[in-house]
Amino acid sequence: MGKGKLAKFAEMETFENVFQYPFSVIDNVPFDMKGHWHEQYFGNDHPIVLELGCGKGEYTVELARLYPEMNFIGVDIKGARMWTGAKKALEEGQRNVAFLRTSIEIIDRFFDTDEVQELWLTFSDPQMKNAHKRLTSTFFMNRYRRFLVDGGIVHVKTDSNFLFTYTRLMTDLNRLPVLFCTEDLYHTEGLDAETRKILSIQTYYERMWIERGLNIKYQKFRLPHAGELQEPDVEIPVDDYRSYHRPKRSGRDTAK
């Protein structure tokens, strides 16, 4: 691990808005704030919104700025990336922002029943070879149900045709109430005020995808508690990772 990452990890240990519980920690140290985020951290009863796979935390920070009447928690396992958003939130005195460094596979260990109102999945890895690893799979939807309010909203923003198609098939098959769906967010007319509001937020990766000519896709749907979820059994064309001049990443880059 480089000196820069080590320095960021060390500094994050001092951040009051960061909670670090990877697998190795949570198995030995229970997360006592589960079910108590409102009173023990935020100090209010405002709705809690999670961004799963928050990367550098840009989207979490910007959402918190746009919606001061809500609380936001960015979740990711990559601590060196998360440092950027966590530090910015501290410097700007954003009291409605927190960050949780952990694996999303165990996200239900940190939030209790009905503790979260909305989820954001921004530019998640499409995981084209393994459905159980897709953040919009029924495997994860069942986990989200354990802490998301009944009918809570799930936002999906992606550059991936594969993930967008898969998610649409999943919502259709399970008859989940779809509130909005577009294959080209920035060229769709007649957007409502709330959807136009989020157009002002663009992450580093989103700007990169747009510059490479990719359409940004967006879906918003509700996740009711009732009903057994079924996994779509449909062959979906995979994304061409050689398109749009994307460089081939080495194993070392992929591991970062």
Side-chain angles (χ1 to χ4, degrees), residues 66-85:
L66 280 180
Y67 297 95
E69 72 284 2
M70 303 176 79
N71 300 316
F72 294 87
I73 304 172
V75 183
D76 208 303
I77 193 60
K78 303 286 189 178
R81 294 179 185 174
M82 183 182 290
W83 172 89
T84 302

Side-chain angles (χ1 to χ4, degrees), residues 19 28 38 53 70 82 85 94 114 122 159 162 165 177 183 191 206 245 251:
F19 303 87
N28 300 313
H38 283 113
M70 303 176 79
M82 183 182 290
Q94 289 182 295
D114 295 338
T122 51
D159 65 296
F162 181 93
T165 302
E183 295 187 24
L191 298 177
E206 183 171 1
H245 310 292

Side-chain angles (χ1 to χ4, degrees), residues 109 162 178 192 222 250:
R109 298 192 190 186
F162 181 93
V178 176
D192 61 83
R222 292 191 180 277
S250 67

Side-chain angles (χ1 to χ4, degrees), residues 150-177:
D150 190 13
I153 295 176
V154 180
H155 304 261
V156 180
K157 206 174 181 187
T158 181
D159 65 296
S160 169
N161 285 310
F162 181 93
L163 185 62
F164 178 79
T165 302
Y166 167 81
T167 306
R168 189 168 56 184
L169 289 169
M170 188 278 296
T171 55
D172 288 348
L173 177 62
N174 293 289
R175 298 183 178 179
L176 302 182

